[in-house]
Amino acid sequence: MEILAFGVQADEKPLIEKAFHGHHDVRCLDVFLTEDTAPIAAGYEAVSTSVNADLGGQVLRTLAAGGTKLIAQRSTGFNNIDLDTAARLGLTVARVSYYSPYSVAEFAWTLAMAVNRRIVRASNRTRDFDFRLDGLMGRDLRGRTVGVLGTGKIGEAFTRIAHGFGMNLLGWDVAENPACVELGMEYVDKKRLFAESDLISLHVPLLPATRRLIDATALKTMKDDVILVNSSRGGLVDTEALVRELRAGRFSGVGLDVYEAEAGLFFLDKSLEVVEDDTLARLVTFPNVVVTSHQAYYTVDAVGQIVATTVQNVLDYTAGRRSENVLVPAAVAGGRED
């Protein structure tokens, strides 16, 4: 069986080809799966997609009509997939339920430290041989309070680093993580977390209940000099409301690895085009904001695990096995049940 992989980054391609070698043939494309590119998958029983793929109803219908039966997404998040439509079409959909939480947690701290210590501004200055310190003053984190929204594997890894800094730990989640409690985390309601935290980091999935979790009200509840970091999903933050607060001179720093309207922008070279997204264009002009292009997961360790799991998902499908990675059970090759 030949697998068609959409949205493959240059660094990712050799890892995918090596992982599939000896199992199945794989064709890697750098284009992302959209309504326009979906017809390319005609004749491929299995496709692999990236986190920013469009797997809405129309795309799924196009894939199914072309003979696709398996969608193996190379990410943990799956808010981009219309699972109900996939089930009605008899598609099997699998994801990567686990990969290195340290990749994202460490990158979240990279963003936090970059905005706290003005690293981007300092680096730009020294390139011009401007070695002044004006405007570069940060803050010690020891003794200050960090608020962690979402204390699963990534949130726990982030909390362990915060504990190493000697910070006071506040957490919010639907269930307490005993490991975080052991580190000294106090679980509180969102309002208190927003009001008392000097640094807030988001590590919750994007669900209907969490969409725009950080809305205008939440932003106004936060300290004027708070640092806000989002390395989870862009839809957790009301970006227009965030821009309004930034224009008012609030927040010591904001680090964003994700953006709610990133599809069609992130992972692509738009440097020679006029970006029509006024909110994003305004956001990147603030000197206390660092925006990166959804790269928190992008380490050789994490991507290696993602690719290995994707290969295993394909092997499970062809063998008629079902694992925890399967989001939509469906009939599989040879009429076997997944």
Side-chain angles (χ1 to χ4, degrees):
M1 183 172 68
E2 186 175 19
I3 295 92
L4 183 63
F6 285 93
V8 177
Q9 303 297 311
D11 296 332
E12 188 183 16
K13 183 177 179 181
L15 296 177
I16 291 178
E17 292 176 339
K18 181 179 179 180
F20 272 105
H21 182 70
H23 299 294
H24 295 287
D25 295 328
V26 60
R27 178 188 174 194
C28 295
L29 302 178
D30 58 2
V31 298
F32 293 92
L33 179 60
T34 65
E35 289 188 14
D36 292 332
T37 61
I40 300 174
Y44 288 89
E45 183 176 350
V47 300
S48 178
T49 59
S50 63
V51 67
N52 275 345
D54 176 359
L55 284 163
Q58 183 56 50
V59 170
L60 292 175
R61 285 187 286 272
T62 300
L63 293 178
T68 296
K69 297 180 180 178
L70 169 68
I71 297 168
Q73 178 140 298
R74 303 186 307 278
S75 73
T76 297
F78 53 91
N79 54 282
N80 61 317
I81 308 173
D82 184 340
L83 297 179
D84 291 336
T85 297
R88 286 195 296 271
L89 293 170
L91 295 169
T92 297
V93 181
R95 62 158 178 164
V96 177
S97 58
Y98 175 85
Y99 62 86
S100 169
Y102 309 108
S103 60
V104 179
E106 291 170 5
F107 193 84
W109 271 108
T110 301
L111 288 175
M113 295 305 295
V115 296
N116 179 39
R117 301 308 300 269
R118 320 301 189 210
I119 298 300
V120 174
R121 182 186 295 181
S123 178
N124 289 338
R125 281 187 185 178
T126 55
R127 285 177 179 273
D128 292 330
F129 297 97
D130 178 353
F131 301 104
R132 293 172 300 160
L133 298 182
D134 298 345
L136 301 183
M137 185 174 288
R139 295 179 290 176
D140 288 2
L141 294 178
R142 181 176 179 82
R144 286 190 161 83
T145 299
V146 62
V148 185
L149 288 106
T151 55
K153 294 182 177 67
I154 296 173
E156 178 186 332
F158 183 90
T159 300
R160 290 188 181 279
I161 298 172
H163 181 262
F165 274 112
M167 302 187 75
N168 303 314
L169 310 174
L170 296 180
W172 175 84
D173 208 329
V174 293
E176 295 185 3
N177 183 334
C180 293
V181 173
E182 187 175 347
L183 291 170
M185 173 172 280
E186 180 183 1
Y187 279 84
V188 298
D189 59 49
K190 294 193 298 292
K191 185 175 181 180
R192 179 181 165 190
L193 185 148
F194 294 149
E196 296 184 11
S197 298
D198 300 293
L199 165 62
I200 295 172
S201 190
L202 310 182
H203 301 287
V204 297
L206 180 59
L207 304 168
T210 60
R211 183 170 293 278
R212 294 198 166 179
L213 180 70
I214 308 301
D215 58 11
T217 300
L219 291 166
K220 289 186 180 299
T221 306
M222 297 176 188
K223 294 182 177 182
D224 287 343
D225 61 352
V226 71
I227 293 172
L228 176 64
V229 175
N230 185 12
S231 57
S232 185
R233 288 292 181 267
L236 299 174
V237 178
D238 183 339
T239 314
E240 291 185 4
L242 176 61
V243 168
R244 288 195 297 270
E245 297 303 316
L246 287 165
R247 290 183 65 184
R250 301 186 65 230
F251 300 136
S252 176
V254 175
L256 303 175
D257 185 52
V258 288
Y259 173 61
E260 60 182 332
E262 68 183 54
L265 291 172
F266 281 19
F267 306 143
L268 301 172
D269 181 3
K270 297 290 185 177
S271 60
L272 299 179
E273 301 178 25
V274 175
V275 176
E276 298 179 355
D277 188 325
D278 293 337
T279 303
L280 179 60
R282 186 71 180 93
L283 187 64
V284 298
T285 65
F286 292 103
N288 58 335
V289 174
V290 172
V291 178
T292 52
S293 55
H294 207 140
Q295 69 181 79
Y297 77 99
Y298 207 55
T299 67
V300 65
D301 311 272
V303 173
Q305 289 175 306
I306 290 169
V307 170
T309 301
T310 301
V311 172
Q312 188 59 52
N313 286 341
V314 174
L315 296 178
D316 286 346
Y317 163 81
T318 56
R321 295 187 295 262
R322 180 180 299 171
S323 76
E324 63 179 0
N325 297 321
V326 176
L327 296 170
V328 178
V332 297
R336 298 184 297 270
E337 284 301 313
D338 170 84

